[in-house]
Amino acid sequence: MNTSRDTPWHDPKRYLWSLGLLVPLFPIIGAVVFMQTGQIWGWWLTPAIVYLFIPALDFLIGTDRSNPPESAVKQLEDDNYYRYIVYAYIPLQYAGTIITVWFACTELGPLGIIAGLFSCAYVNGIGINTGHELGHKRDPLSRFLAKLALAPVAYGHFYVEHNFGHHRRVATPEDPASSKMGESFWRFLPRTVIGSLRSACDIESKRLSRKGLGFWHWRNDVLQAWAMTVVLFGTCTFFLGWPALAFLVIQAMLGASLLEVINYVEHYGLLRQQGDNGEYERCLPKHSWNSNHIVTNLVLYQLQRHSDHHAHPNRAFQALRHFDDSPQLPSGYASMMMLAYFPPLWFKVMNPRVVAHHRGDFSKANIHPRKAETLRTYFNGFNTSARV
């Protein structure tokens, strides 16, 4: 007789995870629509999906708090189906990017170029999440593909900074990728871009120094990732001219900003406490904002279960769990990042949640220094009798 231990667990969302592969298809669809009709609307599908369709579906379909049993984790992680889904994103990502660059440089007018820019940017911005998932794997192929996924947005240093910087310093004032309460996204953006770049170079320089190697050695992971960008951008520029380079640079900036607005959402105002020895407590579920909205989780490889990701960075996306004590966002990342673009609305929605999560204790929040006095008054005047 089979026991529950012997019986394979069935993932009810097994085939739904492949819906994420629709995203990199949209630039290709845009090209097909243009060739068939001469219309550019196909290239507007990606931003429409990101900003309208996914948030609407999150609202309509709702959340799923169910977790796979711990006994099924090894089964899930040994199933190559999930890994191949992630792998498949990259060739589609590159195909859509190259096709759109070609049309932008040869066929499209100004409005079509703008549509193509947003289409490419959001596919490659979401591609950073593909690089994120693969960058946590231990095998050389996954790590190589992680850098490849980051190349179209010229954000290869994320491979180093995220794994060896952010995961160590998350939810502390020292982390450039953890936003502070009272800090708008527009103030956070240059701080995190510059800080993450510096951090990645510093981390890699120290790693190589321990091996007796200089920063400019070919084994530098940051330089390897950037070299992929140079090859991609350089090849497109060689065949299509300088307009191709301008197109790629602008879409890279837009795509990277998509990553950073999600970074902004993930740890806003949350703080790991320091012990008497100055060491921060280990990262716990309470140090990441989470969401169980189904559609965004399907598209982003369950990135919204961010607490479990920080607790177990190498755990595959299909095995990530919900924790009851993790702070919950009112909606999915797709909706929250739009809110972040408008600081007054963001503060109105999220500041009360930060206060309630910390139960009115000002010292437990990660506060922007320039907003400290204002927020101290806000904490003192806020009713925290009920947790949000």
Side-chain angles (χ1 to χ4, degrees), residues 127-382:
I128 298 176
N129 190 50
T130 301
H132 166 260
E133 178 68 20
L134 293 171
H136 280 291
K137 300 296 182 285
R138 294 186 175 93
D139 62 288
L141 175 60
S142 292
R143 294 190 171 191
F144 169 80
L145 291 175
K147 297 173 187 175
L148 201 63
L150 297 169
V153 284
Y155 231 60
H157 57 281
F158 173 83
Y159 171 85
V160 171
E161 159 55 22
H162 177 82
N163 289 292
F164 306 106
H166 175 62
H167 270 268
R168 180 169 58 86
R169 297 179 300 226
V170 62
T172 71
E174 291 78 24
D175 181 30
S178 294
S179 57
K180 307 174 193 295
M181 185 180 183
E183 179 180 36
S184 73
F185 169 66
W186 304 108
R187 185 182 292 273
F188 169 79
L189 183 59
R191 179 175 74 82
T192 189
V193 169
I194 296 169
S196 297
L197 177 59
R198 288 175 175 170
S199 175
C201 291
D202 181 62
I203 291 168
E204 194 62 2
S205 180
K206 290 177 179 176
R207 183 185 75 86
L208 292 170
S209 179
R210 290 192 294 269
K211 296 177 178 291
L213 304 174
F215 179 81
W216 298 103
H217 195 274
W218 65 269
R219 290 173 64 181
N220 184 317
D221 282 326
V222 173
L223 298 183
Q224 287 179 10
W226 286 347
M228 295 179 182
T229 298
V230 171
V231 171
L232 173 63
F233 286 23
T235 301
C236 290
T237 303
F238 178 80
F239 285 104
L240 297 169
W242 294 109
L245 180 61
F247 182 96
L248 287 166
V249 168
I250 294 171
Q251 68 83 32
M253 294 170 63
L254 293 170
S257 73
L258 194 66
L259 161 74
E260 297 301 358
V261 74
I262 290 176
N263 272 340
Y264 177 81
V265 169
E266 286 172 336
H267 305 284
Y268 178 76
L270 303 180
L271 180 67
R272 288 156 57 196
Q273 303 303 303
Q274 286 180 289
D276 294 336
N277 61 357
E279 295 292 324
Y280 287 103
E281 64 180 321
R282 69 184 182 88
C283 190
L284 299 170
K286 65 182 180 180
H287 296 128
S288 302
W289 290 101
N290 287 256
S291 172
N292 286 298
H293 285 80
I294 296 172
V295 178
T296 301
N297 267 332
L298 289 173
V299 173
L300 295 182
Y301 310 127
Q302 217 155 215
L303 181 66
Q304 298 177 132
R305 291 191 168 183
H306 209 58
S307 291
D308 199 17
H309 169 66
H310 273 282
H312 302 92
N314 295 318
R315 185 181 287 247
F317 72 89
Q318 65 271 21
L320 292 174
R321 298 160 296 175
H322 160 76
F323 293 104
D324 288 333
D325 57 344
S326 62
Q328 297 296 310
L329 294 167
S331 188
Y333 281 6
S335 302
M336 297 307 296
M337 68 183 188
M338 288 193 295
L339 198 66
Y341 295 144
F342 303 96
L345 294 177
W346 172 265
F347 295 148
K348 183 176 181 179
V349 170
M350 288 304 298
N351 282 0
R353 285 174 165 78
V354 174
V355 177
H357 174 67
H358 294 302
R359 301 195 181 277
D361 190 340
F362 178 83
S363 67
K364 291 185 176 180
N366 189 6
I367 302 290
H368 192 282
R370 295 183 182 178
K371 303 291 183 179
E373 289 305 315
T374 301
L375 290 173
R376 187 185 299 276
T377 303
Y378 181 81
F379 266 76
N380 291 337
F382 194 83

